[in-house]
Amino acid sequence: MANGIIDLSTATFDEAVSGSSKPVIVDFWAEWCGPCKKIAPILEEIAGERDDVSVAKLNVDDHPDIAMKFNVMSIPTMIVFQEGEVAGRVTGALSKGALLQEIDGFLTSP
């Protein structure tokens, strides 16, 4: 875990997402993706500032099976999981404010 962000793999994905007591934002990214690099520091800020969500990353080049499972066709894509289920998805590099607005719109109170 770097900067509060969980690094996911095929082996750890289900447990990290389904086993979490709070919503998980999973960033589907790749090393070569410019917009992914642009949004990475924003996700690090969110991970450090918000204790009501977990932030995780999954490299689509290393784990294409998970990307295919969730129909990730372009990156960066952030999928918000709540109680192990997809609550929503955001595609593209947004500003921090726009990203938080999208994410907060997916979160439901227990």
Side-chain angles (χ1 to χ4, degrees):
M1 181 167 19
N3 303 316
I5 296 181
I6 304 160
D7 196 19
L8 297 177
S9 67
T10 300
T12 61
F13 187 89
D14 288 336
E15 183 180 343
V17 170
S18 298
S20 179
S21 59
K22 52 189 173 182
V24 181
I25 303 163
V26 179
D27 174 26
F28 290 81
W29 70 286
E31 208 56 60
W32 49 264
C33 169
C36 298
K37 291 177 182 177
K38 180 179 175 188
I39 203 163
I42 294 171
L43 291 169
E44 287 177 15
E45 284 180 32
I46 292 169
E49 294 170 359
R50 301 272 302 253
D51 58 1
D52 61 329
V53 296
S54 295
V55 179
K57 296 175 79 74
L58 181 96
N59 186 317
V60 297
D61 287 339
D62 294 342
H63 308 285
D65 52 328
I66 300 292
M68 278 194 331
K69 178 179 179 180
F70 292 101
N71 205 25
V72 173
M73 298 297 195
S74 62
I75 53 175
T77 291
M78 281 70 57
I79 299 181
V80 178
F81 292 88
Q82 195 158 349
E83 296 178 5
E85 300 294 322
V86 175
R89 102 177 24 219
V90 180
T91 302
L94 304 178
S95 68
K96 182 178 177 183
L99 181 59
L100 284 172
Q101 186 174 4
E102 290 281 336
I103 289 167
D104 287 341
F106 300 137
L107 302 178
T108 56
S109 300

